Amino acid sequence: MKLLQLLLLAPAFAAAQSYVGGDACRTCHGDIWADFYKNPHYINVASGKLPPEKTGCESCHGPGSLHVASHGATPIPRAFSKMPPQEVLADCLACHSKTLSRANIRRSAHTEAGVVCNNCHSIHKSTAPRFLLAKIQRELCYGCHAEVRAQFDLPVKHRVNEGVIDCTDCHNPHGAFAPTWRNGIRPRMVDQRLFDEEPCLKCHVDKRGPFVFEHAAVRIGGCEACHTPHGSSNPQLLRRPVTYTLCLECHNGAGAFGLQNSGVPMQTALHNLLLPQFQHCTMCHVRIHGSNADANFLR
Amino acid sequence: MIAAQKIAPALVFLLWIPASAQPAVAPASGESAGPAAGENAGEYNIVQNWELGYRFATAGGDVQKYDADVNYHNGVRLFSGFLSVHSRTGRGAWFDEIVLTASGLGNDPYESAVLRIRKSRLYQYDLQWRQNDYFDPGLVTSAGYHVENFTRRWQDHNLVLFPQSKLRLIAGYGRNSENGPALSSEDLFEGESGNVFALFSNVHRLFNDYRIGGEAEFSGIKLSVMRRWEFYAEQDSPQTLAPGGAAGFVPGLTTLGGFNRAQPVHGTTPAWMAALLADRKKFAVNGRFTYSKAKDNFLLDEAAAGSGLIGAENRLVMTYGNAERPMTTGDLNVSYFPWDRLTITNNTSYSNTRISGNSFFEEIDLATLSADILNFQFLGIRLLTNSTDARYRVSRRFDFFAGYRYSDRQIRSIQSVTTPGAPFTNTAYSQYDHVQAGAAGFNWILAAPLRLHAEAEIGRSDNPFDPIAEKNYHSIDARLQYRRKSLAASAGYRQNYNNNSTVLTAYSAHARDSFANLSWAARDWLAFDAGYQHLHLDTAGGIAFFAGLPRQRLQTGESIYVSNIHAGNFGLRLALGKRADLYLGYSITRDPGDGRSSLLAPGSVPAALYNVQTFPLSFQSPLARLTVPIMSRLKWNAGYQYYGYREDFGLLGNLENYRANTGYTSLLWSF
């Protein structure tokens, strides 16, 4: 019976759904309209030349004739807060898809987790100065990634809470290209900077090289082979409190690891771990990220 | 409209709550002293707020550690600045929008400014500027050497012409500079004593990035092309003997009378990027191609003189050469939407990095040429990955996804050395690693405000590069969120396990994170948020090393590391009528480690391993902030924050404990 009703009413419903223009919306939604000129989407309104389906409220929310006629009792066709995530994404990408920074949005970890545009962006009530973010960026990210907030509260950390670094300096919330380091599969949301490199190197340019003597682990495994990028209890954001355990966990000569498939070279018999000078590997191996002068990174 | 005006202050209040829960003593961004809607001036609307004040800080204990972790000091600051100018018609004569935000200007260790100027359809200009005073004390990782106290400045300018047209032009400039004093170290006359000396170094690094490009759209396809040129220079980094460093790290063996080193590096990286993007109703395709060719030219000129066991020592070292890194990447994404409910995305990525270089090395000891060699090294990394992900929406409340990922990595290397004029003895090595991984997850809206997400990934690598790399790994991630207008709560669990067996022993890493958060705006005048996070990590790996007294011998053992971080944060905001706003916050991080109460006496192999298995410490920071409106456009603020850092043991050779009282008083002014 319901199906029959729908079939009978469908043509009438479709005919009734027409564009009424933004003036009708302003009558009731004056609070949204009052400062809409500050919104980047206002550009289509300002031109005054576009048809209603491509400008103003109805370009996103759909034709509003029924909504207006019913004095708001009939919901607008596209109420984003009530739409499933995939529909929100599809609607926004209708205009915003052809941007390189969003090239991976359909396979991004956020999209797969149901986190889409309006989870982070607030079109009408943005409190951030740029990108229509619902909140300042770090608080937006901490809202879901509370464990990351704890890392930035550690004594040694990148200065995200202090405002000198943003999450998006390293991450692309819209999805990143496959990393050119590690095994190319993980991490999934870490952006590439300078076109094709690990984002750390954008700021830490002295570690970028190229070096004649590369520390292969840095280039292959990435910076996080030795560092925890968000925050750490350990100095220098290292994964271990002291360097000798950090280094020796790889440099143990075991297995078929390393460049020569015969184990990552272990220290020479010259070293004595019980003497202080040999417990601080980087005291001598000062160019541990790569050197042009010494194969053992001594200068 | 009237209702909206009543709601607006409450809304601003609600949105301000999380922003205020910051650990650093700095005013929350977005606070306003004037009318939130701004004021009209001609066809423009202007909103602006400026907060100027004085910051004070006193620190006791290990002040160097305080500077490394916090680094706030006394002085007058522009704590925050906000200016927005918007055309009310969207048709301004010269611009439609200017937005400027700034914080910490005036010598705070963390300063930033962001500016956007936009004229619709004609241009858009973006500027980001940041400065970070970076202090790195003589860290235990280098036995107290490697002090760095420099300033890093970033700036990036980006100009887009005709931003809304089908043909856009883009130009940009970025600059990253580091300047300041530092200490480094040098291992000299190692044949005799293996002695290490502290060297003064003047850090001066400069990175410039110029870029120009364009985007064109035709037949629903967008072509994007960018050309960039990057220049890097360690302009001049003379390293000389540091005061007091002549005796060396190992007392009494070798002394250094004089040392000087110049080590300039100049590099260039020209690069290309091209991308195509197309979107249709049933599919979307995009691809990207990049090519860059980095090249560094270097020179090292070093002279050292001193005395060692054999008497007078002097050494001249000259090294020069260049290194290159051509790098090619290609990415192709194809998304297919056979039905509204189904999305299938396939990604193929390729990258090829080839790093090679020559390094000519000449060493003269006591006026005698002792080394005259030419090094050549090559490292090639080729990575091919493919992934396919499918996402299906079962209903408006439930969807799931599944994916399969594959990667194929080849690593090649050549390490060669010769004397000038003789042929290289090239020995090339090659290896392959294949990774296969599967992932799946779902999103379930249990009720309108309650949402559950869970996903898992499992992967296998057949030839990881090193003993700690991912081999047999899996991850689990689950989050539960509840969100109402005035109440938000969430809880989650995340697990990352990796097992990488070696001949020596098995390496394993277990990371487990869990968290719970609650934010509640109970009344217009009362709101709070609280959170608890637990970050656990335990790893075990085999190590081999030389140690022993009086003579070292080969030893093997197990390197264990346990971190058990409990972190909590709490914030309470109280509006005392219209007279004042009070914010109280507290954050604490406590790592009890593995629960041990003492360390072993140093000097033995078991102690060298046992004592560094965990790093128990605590870091806490209570804060308070009071805001009092003085006039309609003027507010007075005062803030206080305490930092307390305490290590349970002097694990790193000494206790780096510190405590600091910091705060500020300021005026927030809108004129």
Side-chain angles (χ1 to χ4, degrees), chain B residues 567-605:
Chain B
N569 58 276
F570 175 77
L572 172 72
R573 186 179 185 272
L574 200 58
L576 308 172
K578 293 183 178 179
R579 294 178 183 172
D581 281 342
L582 178 66
Y583 177 79
L584 301 172
Y586 182 64
S587 70
I588 182 166
T589 297
R590 169 71 185 148
D591 185 350
D594 57 5
R596 66 181 59 179
S597 58
S598 62
L599 300 181
L600 297 177
S604 67
V605 170

Side-chain angles (χ1 to χ4, degrees), chain B residues 19 74 78 95 106 152 213 221 244 404 444 465 510 572 578 644:
Chain B
N74 300 338
L78 180 65
F95 62 88
R152 188 195 299 276
I221 298 170
Y404 170 75
W444 187 10
F465 177 71
H510 301 147
L572 172 72
K578 293 183 178 179

